[in-house]
Amino acid sequence: MSEGLLFLIVFSAIFIARIVFATMFFHAVLPNSDRCPECDTPTLRVKSRGWNLLMPWFRTSWCYACGWRGLLRHGHLTPDTTVLPKRERSSPR
Ligand SMILES: [Zn+2]
């Protein structure tokens, strides 16, 4: 086996392992509920043909309080009675 081929195999293995570990890390970092990662308000599920087709195991979400859009993992859903924007829960003025 030539050194060039060995280098190509090792370099490719490191490159693929880096992609796999980064995917696992970001999957673990994503919240496992419907709460917004920016303001902790329950988000609404939105339809996104591209994301839902490519990654159906994620929940495409939109936060009506702060405008955040992104992907969350399917998990615990907030009951309807507690859905209030965070700014309305703060001190009254
Ligand atoms: Zn938010």
Side-chain angles (χ1 to χ4, degrees), residues 87-88 90-93:
R87 60 179 175 245
E88 291 182 14
S90 62
S91 62
R93 293 183 180 178

Side-chain angles (χ1 to χ4, degrees), residues 12-45:
S12 299
I14 290 172
F15 184 76
I16 291 170
R18 194 172 66 181
I19 292 172
V20 168
F21 286 129
T23 303
M24 290 168 58
F25 173 77
F26 285 112
H27 185 266
V29 166
L30 286 176
N32 195 12
S33 70
D34 63 343
R35 295 279 180 168
C36 174
E38 297 284 331
C39 66
D40 202 36
T41 302
T43 59
L44 299 175
R45 185 174 186 159

Side-chain angles (χ1 to χ4, degrees), residues 28-78:
V29 166
L30 286 176
N32 195 12
S33 70
D34 63 343
R35 295 279 180 168
C36 174
E38 297 284 331
C39 66
D40 202 36
T41 302
T43 59
L44 299 175
R45 185 174 186 159
V46 292
K47 221 176 200 180
S48 174
R49 187 177 295 172
W51 284 116
N52 292 338
L53 185 68
L54 286 173
M55 294 189 246
W57 52 88
F58 287 123
R59 180 183 191 271
T60 49
S61 304
W62 171 67
C63 178
Y64 55 86
C66 71
W68 176 86
R69 306 178 115 215
L71 300 173
L72 298 172
R73 290 190 291 169
H74 293 283
H76 173 71
L77 297 178
T78 304

